[in-house]
């Protein structure tokens, strides 16, 4: 019998009632996506509904479909798993189950769904959408609903968010939860490394990935594993000999520990499973290594989301609501993806089909096809890994006359990933026959200590010297803010004396300035007429020519861990505000991305500055907010302030102003994490990107082998900066960056890609912003 009441009328205009659900395996970051969808929906004048327990909640209805308010998702960014639950639902796989789900949506007036899950969950959602009108007709025919009740809900729009720790969806570089899972793996492998080194043992570590080897491959790149097994690219027929040969060479070079990463779906070229036990027996029996097996299991799913997954899930959740509001009845269902650094929409079913094609290619033993179906980034990482783990392979060496002496130098403040980049560059150089030369302690070290006895600052690097650097923070060769201009003559003399054929710089704005000085003085100093490439590495992410700098992700993770602890303290007392000072130079990138990732109340940046009017408005908002917060949990608030946001309104002064104006109704404190943001173990993202970009830098230098100094002076790309811009990795000529894109006084790019994200921070915190107008 059709209900005669209870079906809400559609909202006016373009406003929608948007249901959000999580489905399939849980993944860190899902809660951030739900929070973003709920708050962005409300900010846009829509209504948000949480569908609990995945498709089971959609079928069961009742209390499992609940309207969600702004404060319902408070504090969700820092929580792991999914707080609205997920469950397998056999009923939804059958049409009667989908019929009941359609009825429940109509009864709640929901006309759009945002679903966060894997390919199976998203395929089910698209099937549901395609059947939608038929399901409504059937409900009317069976007198479950009346025609006038279903009339306003003839169209259902679906938007997919990919939540999967395996990172197995095509048409996106990263899925929600993948980097958090990788962080968990790398953390455990780093722990295992210590005991492996102590006892000179081998460890075989099994990670998740039944049909996708992303976790295994990235773990191998991030931890410097000796060998990896992935489903897409099984080893050759004589893989046993190949693996043992590489590990034996590493041991002969002096390496005390051995790590082999095995994806759970690993197999040989004939699809016979390669198990950790089989690998262990080989290492023990053939090489005589004391070998252990560690299966990480569900620890890979657990824990809080890392900084990247919090940012990704938030931005994708915001974009999902925009996609719903942009959708027309015939708009194909999209997934929200990320390509390099750009959030974009891709056809849902195309992504699902391409994902299924990978599995089919593997089943048909078309492994080259499987690799091609993965994104280009995956193949690049695989090649970079294979090149940097190989040793003494004659077929990869260049002819003697094409080999170079490549100088490597760190300039500026330390940043997580500097060592990983240098290690990768060293390994690639040695594989190709080049000679990597470390310049210790930057340009001052070169000029003052190059000929010290018994050990100068210019030293050739051997494979074993750099092999252990992959997970080291700071700078193993030392870094310094000094510039070549402090002594051009001595710098040029050293370049000539040590016969540098190319220069690989790793660092931040000081390194950018150093390259600028070297390039502009090529006329006077022929020694500087060599290929030069800068790999940006700075927590401030303020180098022109790139939207991402090595070290910025490590900084964000350290800052977010600190802020989570601070917020817990603020929430425990319920009525407390913390003003936290962040580093970042004169760029508000770190402050803004951290604010986005912790759900800060407000963020103050150098680009926007701080005014008394702004502070007065925010204090008024804090009063209003705390007045509504009586008795609620997670009521503490954070304000992030970049260290250079204002010369007048310091972090302590702002905290004191808030305390004074609060009149005892709430408290205020300030906190300065300081150099905690620079230190610590590099994040997996910084490690893997450091490896990929470093290898590309040396490859770029190889393209100029044999080019004369005069020709190099005419080639604008002979001095370049590698970077990620939008959806591409690009080399940008230094000359163009210097003259067109650099704000020299403020030490940052003129156009900063992330500036629009501050509006997202304001929208999701409920702070008035021009974005809502």
């Amino acid at each position: 019998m059709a209900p005669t009441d209870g079906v809400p009328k559609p909202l006016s205009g373009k406003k929608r009632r948007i249901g959000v659900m999580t489905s399939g395996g849980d993944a860190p970051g899902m809660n951030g996506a739900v929070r973003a969808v709920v708050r962005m929906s409300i900010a846009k004048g829509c209504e948000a509904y949480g569908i609990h327990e995945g498709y089971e909640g959609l079928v069961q209805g009742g209390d499992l479909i609940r309207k969600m308010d702004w404060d319902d998702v408070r504090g969700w960014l820092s929580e792991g798993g999914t707080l609205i639950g997920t469950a397998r639902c056999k009923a939804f796989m059958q049409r009667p189950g989908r019929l009941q789900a359609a009825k429940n949506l109509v009864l709640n007036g929901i006309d759009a769904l945002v679903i966060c899950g894997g390919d199976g969950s998203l395929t089910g959602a698209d099937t549901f959408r395609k059947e939608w009108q038929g399901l409504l007709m059937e409900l009317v025919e069976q007198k479950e609903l009346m025609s006038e009740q279903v009339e306003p809900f003839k169209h259902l729009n679906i938007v997919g968010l990919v939540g999967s720790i395996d990172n197995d969806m095509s048409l996106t570089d990263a899925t929600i939860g993948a980097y958090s899972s990788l962080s968990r793996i790398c953390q455990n492998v780093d722990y295992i490394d210590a005991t492996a080194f102590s006892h000179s043992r081998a460890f075989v570590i099994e990670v998740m990935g039944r049909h996708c080897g992303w976790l295994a491959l990235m773990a191998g790149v991030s931890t410097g594993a000796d060998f990896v097994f992935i489903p897409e690219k099984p080893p050759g027929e004589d893989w046993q000999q190949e693996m043992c040969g590489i590990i034996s060479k590493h041991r002969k070079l002096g390496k005390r520990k051995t790590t082999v990463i095995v994806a759970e779906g690993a197999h040989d070229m004939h699809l016979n499973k390669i198990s950790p036990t089989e690998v262990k027996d080989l290492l023990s029996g053939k090489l005589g290594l004391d070998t252990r097996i560690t299966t990480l299991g569900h620890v890979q799913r657990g824990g809080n989301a890392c900084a990247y997954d919090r940012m990704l899930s938030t931005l994708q959740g915001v974009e999902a609501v925009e996609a719903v509001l942009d959708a027309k009845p015939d708009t194909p269902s999209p997934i929200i993806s990320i390509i390099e650094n750009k959030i974009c929409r891709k056809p849902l079913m195309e992504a699902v089909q391409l994902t299924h094609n990978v599995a089919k290619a593997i089943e048909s033993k078309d492994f080259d096809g499987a690799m091609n179906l993965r994104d280009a980034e995956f193949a690049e990482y695989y090649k970079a890994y294979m090149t940097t783990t190989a040793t003494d392979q004659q077929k990869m060496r260049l002819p003697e006359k094409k080999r170079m002496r490549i100088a490597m130098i760190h300039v500026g403040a330390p940043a997580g990933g500097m060592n990983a980049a240098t290690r990768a560059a060293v390994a690639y150089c040695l594989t190709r026959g080049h000679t990597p030369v470390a310049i210790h302690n930057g340009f001052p070290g070169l000029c003052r200590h190059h000929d010290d006895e018994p050990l100068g600052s210019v030293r050739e690097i051997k494979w074993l010297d750099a092999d252990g650097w992959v997970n080291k923070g700071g700078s193993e060769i030392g870094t310094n803010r000094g510039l070549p201009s402090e002594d051009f003559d001595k710098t040029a003399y050293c370049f000539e004396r040590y016969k540098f054929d190319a220069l690989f710089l790793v660092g931040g704005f000081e390194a950018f300035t150093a390259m600028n000085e070297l390039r502009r003085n090529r006329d006077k100093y022929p020694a500087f007429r060599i290929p030069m490439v800068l790999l940006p590495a700075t927590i401030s992410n303020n180098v022109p020519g790139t939207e991402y700098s090595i070290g910025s992700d490590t900084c964000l993770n350290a800052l977010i861990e600190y802020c989570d602890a601070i917020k817990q303290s603020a929430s425990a007392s319920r009525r407390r505000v913390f003003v936290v000072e962040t580093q970042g130079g004169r760029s508000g990138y770190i402050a803004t991305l951290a604010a986005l990732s912790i759900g800060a109340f407000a963020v103050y940046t150098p680009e926007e500055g701080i005014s008394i009017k702004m502070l007065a408005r925010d204090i008024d908002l804090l009063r209003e907010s705390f007045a509504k917060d009586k008795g609620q949990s997670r009521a503490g608030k954070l304000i992030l302030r970049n260290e250079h946001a204002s010369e007048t309104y310091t972090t302590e002064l702002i905290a004191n102003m808030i305390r004074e104006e609060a009149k005892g109704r709430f408290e205020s404190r300030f906190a300065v994490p300081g150099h905690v943001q620079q230190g610590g173990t590099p994040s997996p993202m910084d490690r893997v990107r450091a490896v990929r970009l470093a290898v590309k830098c040396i490859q770029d230098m190889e393209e100029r082998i044999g080019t004369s100094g005069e020709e190099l002076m005419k080639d604008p790309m002979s001095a370049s900066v590698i970077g990620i811009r939008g959806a591409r990795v690009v080399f940008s000529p230094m000359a163009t960056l210097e003259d067109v894109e650099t704000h020299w006084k403020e030490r940052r790019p003129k156009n900063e890609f992330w500036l629009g994200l501050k509006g997202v921070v304001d929208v999701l915190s409920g702070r008035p912003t021009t974005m809502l107008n």
Side-chain angles (χ1 to χ4, degrees):
M1 174 69 87
T4 57
D5 57 4
V7 178
K9 292 181 180 180
L11 299 178
S12 62
K14 289 182 65 177
K15 297 175 183 177
R16 312 285 291 275
R17 288 190 183 89
I18 302 172
V20 58
M21 59 184 277
T22 53
S23 180
D26 65 298
M30 282 183 163
N31 292 320
V34 174
R35 171 185 176 271
V37 170
V38 169
R39 290 199 168 179
M40 191 64 180
S41 297
I42 295 170
K44 289 289 187 177
C46 301
E47 293 180 3
Y49 287 76
I51 300 170
H52 294 249
E53 310 305 335
Y55 283 111
E56 186 66 30
L58 205 58
V59 173
Q60 295 293 333
D63 287 341
L64 293 180
I65 301 178
R66 306 172 205 160
K67 186 178 179 182
M68 298 189 78
D69 295 321
W70 190 271
D71 290 330
D72 291 339
V73 291
R74 174 183 289 166
W76 281 31
L77 267 171
S78 60
E79 298 288 340
T82 166
L83 293 173
I84 59 174
T86 179
R88 299 192 181 279
C89 181
K90 292 183 179 180
F92 190 80
M93 297 178 186
Q94 307 299 321
R95 188 173 175 87
R98 295 194 290 275
L99 193 69
Q100 185 61 41
K103 179 180 178 180
N104 288 330
L105 287 184
V106 172
L107 289 176
N108 285 279
I110 297 171
D111 50 8
L113 278 178
V114 176
I115 298 169
C116 184
D119 62 327
S121 301
L122 299 179
T123 301
D126 198 68
T127 300
F128 187 45
R129 183 201 174 176
K130 288 174 181 174
E131 294 180 349
W132 180 253
Q133 292 190 359
L135 292 170
L136 295 188
M137 290 174 60
E138 194 171 332
L139 287 168
V140 172
E141 290 169 3
Q142 294 181 5
K143 300 191 182 332
E144 293 287 328
L145 292 172
M146 294 184 289
S147 58
E148 57 268 27
Q149 291 176 316
V150 304
E151 180 63 28
F153 302 100
K154 280 187 175 180
H155 303 287
L156 176 71
N157 287 112
I158 301 283
V159 177
L161 301 175
V162 190
S164 167
I165 67 165
D166 292 337
N167 200 17
D168 54 354
M169 180 67 79
S170 296
L171 299 186
T172 185
D173 285 348
T175 57
I176 294 169
Y179 274 100
S180 296
S181 180
L182 180 61
S183 298
R184 219 74 68 229
I185 293 168
C186 291
Q187 184 180 48
N188 282 278
V189 175
D190 288 347
Y191 291 159
I192 288 168
D193 265 1
T195 188
F197 183 90
S198 300
H199 297 275
S200 193
R201 281 181 178 147
F203 273 85
V204 182
I205 299 168
E206 185 179 49
V207 301
M208 289 185 174
R210 194 169 303 126
H211 301 296
C212 180
W214 188 87
L215 283 175
L217 176 60
M218 296 302 152
V221 173
S222 301
T223 62
D226 298 88
F227 208 80
V228 297
F229 292 94
I230 60 174
E232 297 91 339
K233 192 74 172 175
E237 293 281 3
D238 59 344
W239 67 266
Q240 296 93 338
Q241 184 64 35
E242 180 188 355
M243 179 187 72
C244 291
I246 288 175
I247 290 171
S248 293
K249 286 176 183 174
H250 290 178
R251 287 279 174 164
K252 286 175 184 175
L253 288 167
K255 191 171 184 180
R256 282 179 56 85
K257 59 185 174 65
T258 297
T259 306
V260 177
I261 310 281
V262 183
E264 62 180 332
H267 51 76
D268 64 19
M269 296 189 73
H270 304 289
L271 303 184
N272 299 311
K273 181 175 176 58
I274 295 176
S275 69
T277 302
E278 185 178 1
V279 176
K280 171 187 177 293
D281 291 343
L282 267 170
L283 297 179
S284 299
K286 193 164 184 177
L287 299 182
L289 298 177
D290 182 7
T291 308
R292 301 286 191 273
I293 294 175
T294 298
T295 301
L296 295 180
H298 280 75
V299 72
Q300 296 163 84
R301 286 195 186 278
N304 301 339
C306 67
Y308 183 80
D309 278 328
R310 296 190 193 192
M311 179 273 293
L312 180 66
S313 61
T314 298
L315 295 181
Q316 289 191 338
V318 167
E319 182 66 16
V321 175
E322 296 283 10
V324 165
L325 298 178
D326 290 344
K328 295 179 173 56
D330 57 348
T331 303
S333 299
I335 60 164
I336 310 301
S337 68
I338 184 166
I339 306 296
E340 296 296 356
N341 220 34
K342 185 177 178 63
I343 302 291
C344 47
R345 303 173 194 175
K346 297 289 183 180
L348 187 154
M349 287 315 297
E350 182 183 346
V352 169
Q353 186 57 55
L354 287 171
T355 302
H356 290 170
N357 288 347
V358 176
K360 290 176 183 176
I362 293 172
E363 288 172 13
S364 62
K365 302 179 185 177
D366 179 12
F367 303 118
D368 288 337
M371 288 294 288
N372 290 334
L373 285 165
R374 291 284 181 221
D375 58 76
E377 187 184 57
F378 185 87
E380 280 186 22
Y381 277 121
Y382 179 79
K383 289 176 184 175
Y385 172 76
M386 295 305 293
T387 305
T388 54
T389 197
T391 52
D392 194 27
Q393 292 198 24
Q394 291 299 320
K395 63 182 181 181
M396 299 182 73
R397 285 178 176 264
L398 292 170
E400 190 81 39
K401 63 181 180 180
K402 290 191 174 183
R403 298 176 189 175
M404 298 184 289
R405 282 176 60 82
I406 300 178
M408 302 182 182
I409 188 169
H410 295 175
V411 185
M418 276 183 158
N419 293 318
T422 309
R423 172 192 176 273
V426 167
Y428 181 85
C429 284
L430 293 173
T431 299
R432 300 285 281 167
H434 304 305
T435 302
V437 183
I439 300 174
H440 289 253
N441 301 314
F443 285 103
L446 173 69
C447 295
R448 299 170 194 166
H449 304 291
H450 67 95
D451 57 356
D452 283 3
E453 296 292 345
L455 201 61
S457 60
V458 180
R459 307 173 205 164
E460 292 184 8
I461 317 175
K462 305 301 181 188
W463 184 86
L464 190 62
D465 295 336
D467 182 62
W469 293 357
V470 68
N471 60 357
K472 301 280 189 192
S475 169
E476 289 294 303
I477 65 173
T479 185
N480 195 296
R481 296 179 186 271
L483 297 171
S485 55
E486 294 175 14
D487 194 338
F488 273 131
D489 292 340
K490 182 59 72 71
T491 302
Y493 165 77
C494 290
F495 273 41
E496 288 177 350
R497 173 172 174 174
Y498 295 102
K499 298 184 170 77
F500 296 156
D501 298 314
L503 180 65
F504 177 49
L505 298 96
V506 182
F509 202 87
E510 288 84 3
F512 182 81
T513 306
M515 183 182 276
N516 163 259
E517 293 181 352
L518 293 172
R519 190 195 71 79
R520 288 183 178 273
N521 282 274
R522 279 174 163 174
D523 284 340
K524 185 177 180 181
Y525 299 100
F528 300 158
R529 298 170 191 173
I530 58 176
M532 305 179 196
V533 182
L534 167 63
L535 173 51
T538 166
I539 68 169
S540 304
N541 196 23
N542 63 339
V543 177
T546 186
E547 296 174 5
Y548 172 87
S549 299
I550 303 300
S552 58
D553 186 68
T554 300
C555 173
L556 281 171
N557 278 287
L559 184 56
I560 284 164
E561 185 177 352
Y562 180 92
C563 287
D564 280 349
I566 291 288
K567 198 166 189 178
Q568 191 175 58
S569 171
S571 295
S573 61
R574 288 216 307 271
R575 307 176 68 77
R576 180 174 289 173
V577 181
F578 268 94
V579 184
V580 179
E581 181 174 296
T582 75
Q583 291 187 339
R586 297 192 177 278
S587 169
Y589 172 84
I590 287 296
T592 301
L593 269 290
L596 193 72
S597 302
I598 62 168
F601 172 78
V603 57
Y604 301 141
T605 65
E607 288 82 357
E608 187 179 29
I610 306 174
S611 67
I612 190 67
K613 184 178 179 181
M614 182 189 299
L615 292 173
R617 182 192 64 177
D618 285 340
I619 291 170
D620 285 342
L621 283 170
L622 286 169
R623 285 199 200 98
E624 292 174 19
S625 180
F626 279 115
K628 297 175 186 175
D629 278 343
K630 295 175 180 177
Q632 294 191 35
S633 61
R634 300 190 178 111
K637 301 188 188 302
L638 261 63
I639 293 173
L640 267 57
R641 175 193 172 275
N642 170 278
E643 58 189 342
H644 293 295
S646 170
E647 292 184 6
T648 303
Y649 299 109
T650 65
T651 305
E652 184 175 4
L653 177 60
I654 293 171
N656 289 340
M657 288 174 69
I658 293 172
R659 185 186 307 113
E660 179 69 22
E661 293 298 320
K663 306 296 184 186
R665 283 170 286 187
F666 52 91
E667 300 176 12
S668 178
R669 301 281 190 276
F670 74 96
V672 183
H675 283 74
V676 165
Q677 297 162 80
Q678 288 184 10
T681 303
S683 72
M685 170 169 280
D686 278 335
R687 297 190 214 179
V688 297
R689 285 190 167 176
V691 171
R692 179 191 180 202
L693 297 178
V695 169
K696 278 181 168 290
C697 288
I698 308 302
Q699 289 171 339
D700 182 74
M701 293 174 181
E702 288 179 333
E703 292 180 8
R704 290 168 178 78
I705 291 174
T707 306
S708 70
E710 293 297 325
E711 290 174 313
L712 282 171
M713 287 182 67
K714 297 174 185 176
D715 178 8
M717 297 303 296
S718 66
S720 62
V721 176
I722 191 172
I724 293 173
R725 286 186 156 189
R728 297 185 304 135
V729 174
V730 297
F731 287 90
S732 301
M734 190 69 196
T736 303
L737 296 177
E738 294 166 2
D739 297 335
V740 180
E741 300 187 30
T742 304
H743 197 314
W744 285 100
K745 181 182 178 182
E746 299 297 335
R747 293 168 53 87
R748 65 187 184 223
K750 287 182 179 177
N751 298 309
E752 296 178 288
F753 79 99
W754 54 266
L755 288 175
L757 299 183
K758 190 177 181 304
V760 179
V761 174
D762 290 340
V763 168
L764 298 184
S765 70
R767 190 169 176 244
T769 174
T770 54
M771 185 175 175
L772 287 178
N773 294 332

